[in-house]
Amino acid sequence: MFLGITNTPRDYAWGSRTAIPELLGRTVTGQPQAELWLGAHPGSPSVVVNPAMVGGADTLADWIREEPDAALGGGAEGLPFLLKVLAAAAPLSLQAHPTPEQARDGFAREEAAGIPVDAGERNYKDPYPKPELVVALSERFEALSGFRPVDEALADIVRIDGGTGRTAPLADRLRDQGLEETVRWLVTADDDARSLVRVLGELATAVEDPTPNTATVVDLAASYPDDPGVAVALLVHRVSLARGEALYLPAGNIHAYLEGLGIELMAPSDNVLRGGLTPKHVDVPELLHVLDFTPGPPPLLTPEPVAPGVDRFAPAGVGFALVRVSSAGATAGLGAGGVVPLGGPSIAICTEGAVTLVGARSATMLRRGESCYVTPDEGTVTVETDAAGGGAATVFIATPA
């Protein structure tokens, strides 16, 4: 079955006012629209377009709960992913996610302590990890992701300092004590650390030949003048994704989305350890416990080419994959050549043009901005586009790996 689903975008303050409504073909209201959730997460379960198809269930979560065998297939316990359209016009919080073991232990610990799940100081809302990936839909998608080599960070600190010596406390600590102790000092945010953040923001505006990271300090300091996350951003890769490029954010990866429109696929967990650029709770000891301080290159995710026009983003061990099917990648349009095997219950969203999805039992058409839930009895989905029509078409399909 192909079941049409939709949802109301989440109105977080950092969201773009135009990107999601323009993608979906909806009216621009002037209010921020940050995330469109497609899945069964209780925080915002997808709405069923035609409830009569599923016995009157209004949401995807309702139908899965009422008829799990029909919705998920025999033996499945739930939908193992949450698909989002994310549109950032301002930075999200600097954050990291736990490993499976950290999530289980943290959830059990906070349950035993009697901390309400909806409490502001609660770190672990569930016992699950939250690996995620994002594919850029906009021409540029800007992010911070992963600690970079100390020498690179030191070079930018020296550039900002400009010979004044005012950033020496940061440079000396980083050089002598390394990333972990430097981050510990910054996020503890004593008076010296806060003063340093203000100095960085002031000096960075005078850099004549800015690098991506020094420019990030200028941008962040304008909105968060005393936030330690401004300084931490110097220690993290500034990543600019072109349209179609992707990032994978494993457990322990420090990251923050800064600006852009993307398709995000993640485990359906709410476990976030924040480290700055937010007024929300920051649990410094738990953040330091979760963070992976190993420096390395930005965690770019290269898709596996399945067929002309068909690419699969599938990090190892996460339990889900995102397949992109695009007529632009095929030499003569997809015709009936875009075949996507399903690993179980799946969700598709069309982000460009129009496509026809053909399964073993039924078929449906999706136009730009439309989405559907695909039951596992369809087996595979063949994506067809009208090559003779000349219009480009793209659909993303999230499926269990």
Side-chain angles (χ1 to χ4, degrees):
M1 178 191 299
F2 294 94
L3 178 68
I5 57 175
T6 187
N7 216 334
T8 300
R10 311 285 278 183
D11 61 352
Y12 306 138
W14 49 262
S16 167
R17 287 170 166 75
T18 59
I20 288 180
E22 287 175 355
L23 176 71
L24 301 180
R26 298 179 183 176
T27 301
V28 175
T29 65
Q31 298 300 310
Q33 297 187 23
E35 295 180 346
L36 178 78
W37 291 19
L38 297 173
H41 192 287
S44 183
S46 292
V47 175
V48 175
V49 173
N50 184 359
M53 292 182 63
V54 288
D58 292 321
T59 71
L60 183 59
D62 290 339
W63 184 46
I64 289 174
R65 183 172 56 254
E66 294 166 6
E67 298 186 62
D69 288 345
L72 300 174
E77 296 183 358
L79 194 61
F81 59 79
L82 175 62
L83 183 65
K84 294 182 180 180
V85 179
L86 180 144
L92 282 68
S93 61
L94 200 61
Q95 59 188 255
H97 307 304
T99 65
E101 296 76 18
Q102 289 167 343
R104 286 195 298 269
D105 293 347
F107 180 76
R109 186 170 62 248
E110 293 186 338
E111 285 287 281
I115 303 173
V117 173
D118 58 355
E121 69 273 19
R122 179 88 184 220
N123 295 315
Y124 296 96
K125 307 297 180 66
D126 53 67
Y128 306 111
K130 193 186 178 186
E132 58 189 52
L133 65 90
V134 63
V135 180
L137 291 181
S138 50
E139 291 302 317
R140 306 301 301 177
F141 187 94
E142 303 294 330
L144 297 169
S145 183
F147 287 109
R148 58 183 181 148
V150 167
D151 288 348
E152 292 182 14
L154 282 170
D156 274 339
I157 295 169
V158 170
R159 184 184 298 264
I160 289 174
D161 186 84
T164 68
R166 297 174 67 191
T167 67
L170 176 60
D172 292 346
R173 190 177 297 266
L174 181 60
R175 186 183 298 109
D176 298 338
Q177 300 183 36
L179 280 167
E180 183 169 355
E181 288 307 312
T182 301
V183 172
R184 183 188 306 276
W185 175 63
L186 288 169
V187 298
T188 302
D190 62 13
D191 289 342
D192 288 342
R194 291 189 182 278
S195 176
L196 174 67
V197 172
R198 291 190 290 271
V199 167
L200 287 171
E202 174 192 337
L203 294 178
T205 60
V207 174
E208 294 183 357
D209 186 21
T211 66
N213 281 77
T214 63
T216 300
V217 169
V218 175
D219 293 340
L220 295 180
S223 299
Y224 303 95
D226 295 318
D227 194 301
V230 175
V232 175
L234 275 173
L235 313 179
V236 179
H237 290 285
R238 170 69 183 255
V239 182
S240 295
L241 299 178
R243 184 179 182 186
E245 293 183 330
L247 271 178
Y248 170 52
L249 309 171
N253 171 273
I254 187 167
H255 62 275
Y257 298 145
L258 303 177
E259 184 179 11
L261 177 69
I263 292 286
E264 190 178 26
L265 183 62
M266 64 183 65
S269 168
D270 286 329
N271 291 328
V272 176
L273 282 304
R274 295 178 178 86
L277 310 181
T278 178
K280 294 183 179 179
H281 176 64
V282 175
D283 184 331
V284 172
E286 194 63 23
L287 171 70
L288 295 172
H289 174 61
V290 164
L291 281 175
D292 181 355
F293 290 96
T294 307
L300 300 175
L301 179 62
T302 302
E304 171 195 356
V306 177
V310 184
D311 295 308
R312 186 172 184 264
F313 300 88
V318 301
F320 53 71
L322 184 64
V323 181
R324 177 182 59 207
V325 186
S326 174
S327 62
T331 55
L334 285 167
V339 179
V340 180
L342 302 182
S346 304
I347 291 177
I349 179 170
C350 181
T351 59
E352 183 180 28
V355 296
T356 298
L357 306 183
V358 181
R361 301 169 60 89
S362 58
T364 193
M365 174 180 280
L366 292 181
R367 297 176 178 83
R368 179 178 178 177
E370 295 180 336
S371 53
C372 69
Y373 182 80
V374 189
T375 53
D377 57 358
E378 296 293 351
T380 63
V381 169
T382 299
V383 180
E384 299 180 353
T385 66
D386 181 8
T394 303
V395 64
F396 287 86
I397 301 175
T399 188

